[in-house]
Amino acid sequence: MFNFFLLILIYSGIYALMALGQNIITGYGGLLSLTQAGFFAIGSYATAILTTRFGWSFWATLPAALILSAFFGLLIGLPTLRLKGDYLAIATLGFGEIVRNVLNNWDSVTRGPMGIQRIPMPDLFGFTINPYKKYAFLVMVFVFVGIAYVIFQRLARSRMGRALSAVREDEIAAQSMGINITTYKVFAFILGASVAGLAGSLQAVFSLSVTPGTYTFMVSVMVLCMVVLGGMGNFKASILGAFIIQLISYFPQLTGLSSVIPPQFKQILFGLILVVMMIWRPQGLLGREETRYGKKVAKSSKGGAR
């Protein structure tokens, strides 16, 4: 049971990275994106292909996964700048499905539905970080989460963070104050995509195999649920939301009710969480953490999540 709880913590850390990226896109940029699964898949396959076919180490594949995911974030960000709300969500959802179908059908590179197996375990100073033993891998994952959290937290208090918040609140007013909304929206997509690619790399070396069926639309929905549950515009809340959602996902196995509760129940529960949070507490569990001139101010407890 303890090993199973460690497994939940590891997946919580991996998904927390994606939730941090989703938060910079949706919580700060105000862009309803449903494509984190696509960037997640790109990072996973970049690490899987480079380690198994070209003999790269895991650490060498990380910059490649980040850059490749960021590049696709740029590609999806530019053509969707004129879209808002539901239309943007549909466009980004389409990109995620395109990525999954390309991985599923490009047999010569991705091996199609069979996926890629026997991904090497990461090494650090001669020490193998074995995902089966979990302790060292858990530490590695949360080191990445801590680094990403510090970077995004500082980013939120910088000029870029304030500009993104202004774009989220009112694009016309932000543009009239000299903010280039196109640049900041694209930056939000690039940053969100790159950290999702990093999460994909960790996923690949943890499971030691990748298959297209892992990166479905429900992954993007799950990540969005984490951000909404914790509170949009609050990075600590995204990490908390990731842990709660993962705990809910594995609740049947934890309680021994997996034979009673069907797997589809998880999808129903995610939808129910979104509905309940939007009705009763749209600002999320922790609410939005606002910043002003680089200093932290009180959390917003009014209004809805935007």
Side-chain angles (χ1 to χ4, degrees):
M1 181 61 73
F2 183 69
N3 280 336
F4 190 64
F5 188 70
L6 290 177
L7 174 72
I8 294 174
L9 287 178
I10 290 172
Y11 274 116
S12 296
I14 292 172
Y15 276 83
L17 285 170
M18 284 200 289
L20 290 172
Q22 181 78 45
N23 205 4
I24 202 72
I25 296 172
T26 305
Y28 278 86
L31 304 168
L32 183 55
S33 170
L34 290 173
T35 189
Q36 286 296 84
F39 303 136
F40 187 44
I42 290 168
S44 291
Y45 270 85
T47 293
I49 292 170
L50 291 174
T51 53
T52 57
R53 294 198 178 186
F54 299 98
W56 288 27
S57 71
F58 163 71
W59 305 103
T61 68
L62 284 180
L66 284 169
I67 293 171
L68 191 60
S69 300
F71 173 71
F72 279 99
L74 174 65
L75 286 186
I76 189 61
L78 286 174
T80 57
L81 288 178
R82 295 184 178 272
L83 303 177
K84 295 180 181 179
D86 298 341
Y87 300 102
L88 177 61
I90 292 169
T92 53
L93 168 62
F95 172 77
E97 289 301 300
I98 288 171
V99 170
R100 188 171 64 85
N101 280 284
V102 168
L103 296 176
N104 206 29
N105 291 283
W106 199 2
D107 292 352
S108 59
V109 175
T110 65
R111 299 191 63 215
M114 298 294 294
I116 300 173
Q117 288 78 36
R118 298 183 180 179
I119 298 172
M121 299 178 187
D123 289 324
L124 183 63
F125 302 120
F127 174 73
T128 300
I129 303 175
N130 191 334
Y132 295 110
K133 295 184 179 178
K134 295 185 177 61
Y135 293 104
F137 204 94
L138 178 64
V139 172
M140 182 180 74
V141 167
F142 275 92
V143 165
F144 279 110
V145 172
I147 293 171
Y149 170 77
V150 170
I151 291 173
F152 280 127
Q153 193 74 2
R154 292 183 65 86
L155 181 68
R157 299 177 187 178
S158 69
R159 184 178 185 276
M160 181 179 178
R162 296 195 297 272
L164 278 173
S165 297
V167 171
R168 178 195 67 223
E169 297 297 333
D170 192 323
E171 290 187 13
I172 297 175
Q175 197 167 22
S176 69
M177 296 299 293
I179 296 174
N180 189 329
I181 61 174
T182 299
T183 299
Y184 285 106
K185 281 184 176 182
V186 171
F187 272 152
F189 265 109
I190 290 173
L191 290 170
S194 60
V195 76
L198 172 62
S201 293
L202 292 171
Q203 160 72 17
V205 293
F206 178 63
S207 61
L208 302 181
S209 65
V210 292
T211 55
T214 306
Y215 313 100
T216 62
F217 163 64
M218 281 307 300
V219 172
S220 296
V221 173
M222 188 188 302
V223 173
L224 181 61
C225 284
M226 293 170 183
V227 175
V228 172
L229 178 63
M232 292 189 184
N234 189 328
F235 293 113
K236 290 190 291 290
S238 297
I239 297 172
L240 174 64
F243 175 73
I244 294 174
I245 291 294
Q246 284 299 312
L247 203 60
I248 292 172
S249 298
Y250 289 101
F251 179 77
Q253 291 90 329
L254 280 171
T255 56
L257 298 175
S258 54
S259 60
V260 178
I261 301 176
Q264 293 79 8
F265 176 76
K266 178 172 66 175
Q267 301 174 14
I268 297 172
L269 195 57
F270 290 159
L272 184 62
I273 288 171
L274 283 176
V275 172
V276 170
M277 292 302 296
M278 289 297 98
I279 294 175
W280 298 106
R281 191 170 174 82
Q283 69 270 31
L285 294 175
L286 300 184
R288 187 184 300 280
E289 186 177 69
E290 297 181 355
T291 54
R292 186 174 297 159
Y293 303 113
K295 295 181 180 179
K296 190 185 297 183
V297 298
K299 297 175 187 175
S300 172
S301 59
K302 300 179 181 179
R306 302 179 184 178

